[in-house]
Amino acid sequence: MNLPNAITFSRLLGIPFLLYGLYNPTPQARWICLTIFLVAALTDWLDGYLARKLNQITDLGKFLDPLVDKLLVLAPLLVLVELERIPAWGVFVILARELAIAGWRVNQTTITGANIWGKLKTVSQIIAISLLIAPLSTLWETPSMIAFWISVALTLISGGIYLIPPAKNPT
């Protein structure tokens, strides 16, 4: 396993601590959860950067990176549903898209990296989850929910772009 793939895999280590901390309603625990989540999210950028810089892009990395991204995003979202901070059907839309794309990728002969829409989806999810995790004042409830629904919309858009075949040039 090369360094970028090891970094990708290490993101999984933060998820149990993140989940445990989200059930602790203290501001201190929430700030710790936010830190864990953001560090894990930043390693997503780091592993991709290193894979390109060190010329260590692998099919394992192309498979593992989005899988770990999905777990890192879905784990706190499911806890936020249980804590009644966000509606379950919004998370279901995200989960359904992720399962559909994973199933679609299984049938592809080559594994491709994320396109710009997939990256926008991931960034919007990181922003939304960060706002929902952070122990912010009630003034942030509406902006947090708007960020969540933007991430749901970008999730649908990026999923549609993956699944709709590109138009062929007439020749």
Side-chain angles (χ1 to χ4, degrees), residues 85-100:
R85 297 279 321 276
I86 55 175
W89 74 267
V91 176
F92 175 79
V93 168
I94 292 171
L95 176 61
R97 182 266 189 207
E98 300 304 345
L99 290 174

Side-chain angles (χ1 to χ4, degrees), residues 51-68:
R52 289 183 296 277
K53 179 98 172 149
L54 302 173
N55 197 26
Q56 295 183 348
I57 297 172
T58 64
D59 282 345
L60 174 62
K62 289 179 188 177
F63 170 78
L64 193 60
D65 184 66
L67 176 63
V68 174

Side-chain angles (χ1 to χ4, degrees), residues 29-157:
R30 287 299 176 102
W31 285 120
I32 291 169
C33 287
L34 179 61
T35 302
I36 291 169
F37 179 74
L38 290 175
V39 167
L42 284 173
T43 66
D44 182 29
W45 171 83
L46 178 63
D47 62 28
Y49 172 79
L50 289 174
R52 289 183 296 277
K53 179 98 172 149
L54 302 173
N55 197 26
Q56 295 183 348
I57 297 172
T58 64
D59 282 345
L60 174 62
K62 289 179 188 177
F63 170 78
L64 193 60
D65 184 66
L67 176 63
V68 174
D69 289 348
K70 289 165 188 34
L71 294 173
L72 183 64
V73 165
L74 289 169
L77 287 177
L78 290 172
V79 173
L80 291 167
V81 166
E82 187 175 2
L83 297 175
E84 299 181 354
R85 297 279 321 276
I86 55 175
W89 74 267
V91 176
F92 175 79
V93 168
I94 292 171
L95 176 61
R97 182 266 189 207
E98 300 304 345
L99 290 174
I101 297 304
W104 176 80
R105 283 184 171 175
V106 166
N107 293 317
Q108 302 304 304
T109 55
T110 59
I111 301 172
T112 59
N115 63 25
I116 187 66
W117 289 100
K119 291 178 183 189
L120 286 172
K121 169 207 59 118
T122 300
V123 168
S124 71
Q125 289 172 342
I126 290 168
I127 291 168
I129 293 167
S130 296
L131 289 171
L132 290 163
I133 288 174
L136 303 172
S137 73
T138 55
L139 294 173
W140 283 92
E141 285 180 19
T142 299
S144 298
M145 288 306 296
I146 290 170
F148 172 71
W149 290 116
I150 288 171
S151 76
V152 171
L154 286 172
T155 297
L156 286 172
I157 291 167

